[in-house]
């Protein structure tokens, strides 16, 4: 990971915090971090952890050409904009939508950056696999937490998830208890 350039797309919630903590760990392995926030309100402790590792924090509202340039220069993009706590409609809005719209053309370049979605690609329906707006950054890899979300396996959203890996966060026994209760 030494010398790899990582562009972190960080939202204001826990998904953004997860991306920032992942970025901190990548920085510990020598990655160079650039944080592109979708909000002025990032998770404070996670942001401080990434900044302590030398991350470059860009201002919100960067012009599309600057965003595209950051994506072109990246080896890896971490999509940590939205997670499971999204509203009724998971469609991206505001700065988040503008950022993804600026990055999408870079995905069709000769050497596109690898995209890793944190829990799920931002903008997909976590429960039903809906994609209410096509402004979604397709992931090469989605690292989801605790259990696989239905939306990652359901079309059309499944087409945006890439390879899906479930990260154990210690809630397996609780999920099994709920599953057994629901089957009873």
């Amino acid at each position: 990971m030494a010398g790899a350039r990582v562009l972190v797309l960080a939202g204001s919630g826990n998904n953004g915090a997860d991306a920032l903590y992942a970025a901190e760990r990548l920085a510990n392995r020598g990655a160079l971090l650039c944080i592109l926030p979708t909000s002025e309100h990032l998770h404070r402790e996670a942001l401080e952890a990434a900044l302590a590792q030398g991350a470059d924090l860009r201002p919100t509202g960067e012009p599309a050409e600057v965003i595209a340039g950051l994506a072109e220069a990246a080896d890896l993009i971490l999509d940590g904009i939205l997670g499971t706590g999204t509203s009724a409609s998971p469609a991206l809005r505001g700065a988040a939508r503008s950022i993804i719209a600026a990055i999408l053309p870079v995905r069709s370049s000769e050497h596109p950056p690898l995209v890793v979605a944190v829990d799920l690609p931002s903008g997909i329906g976590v429960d039903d696999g809906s994609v209410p707006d096509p402004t979604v950054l397709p992931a090469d890899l989605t690292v989801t937490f605790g259990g696989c979300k239905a939306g990652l396996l359901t079309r059309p959203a499944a087409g945006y998830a890439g390879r899906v890996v479930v990260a154990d966060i210690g809630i397996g026994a609780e999920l099994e208890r709920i599953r057994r209760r629901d089957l009873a």
Side-chain angles (χ1 to χ4, degrees):
M1 209 64 222
R5 297 162 305 207
V6 180
L7 178 59
V8 183
L9 309 179
S12 61
N14 289 335
N15 194 256
D18 290 340
L20 290 167
Y21 281 128
E24 174 200 21
R25 294 189 74 174
L26 291 172
N28 284 332
R29 294 183 171 181
L32 306 171
L33 307 178
C34 179
I35 301 167
L36 190 56
T38 63
S39 166
E40 297 285 337
H41 308 285
L42 297 179
H43 187 278
R44 195 184 91 238
E45 292 85 9
L47 177 60
E48 288 173 0
L51 292 175
Q53 295 301 318
D56 173 32
L57 177 63
R58 303 302 296 231
T60 56
E62 289 277 32
E65 59 273 4
V66 171
I67 295 167
L70 293 171
E72 288 171 352
D75 298 303
L76 171 69
I77 297 175
L78 286 180
D79 172 4
I81 299 173
L82 292 178
T84 59
T86 60
S87 65
S89 173
L92 297 175
R93 294 175 285 287
R97 188 176 191 286
S98 297
I99 288 169
I100 297 303
I103 293 173
L104 282 173
V106 174
R107 289 288 289 163
S108 60
S109 68
E110 187 174 338
H111 300 289
L114 180 72
V115 175
V116 176
V118 177
D119 209 22
L120 55 103
S122 299
I124 71 160
V126 67
D127 295 323
D128 63 3
S130 64
V131 181
D133 182 319
T135 309
V136 175
L137 185 61
D140 297 294
L141 172 67
T142 297
V143 179
T144 193
F145 306 110
C148 192
K149 283 64 174 178
L152 296 172
L153 305 173
T154 308
R155 295 262 174 223
Y160 290 89
R163 180 172 162 244
V164 177
V165 174
V166 178
D168 181 6
I169 57 171
I171 62 172
E174 178 67 14
L175 292 175
E176 181 60 23
R177 186 186 65 73
I178 292 168
R179 185 185 74 79
R180 287 184 181 170
R181 182 195 70 209
D182 290 347
L183 292 174

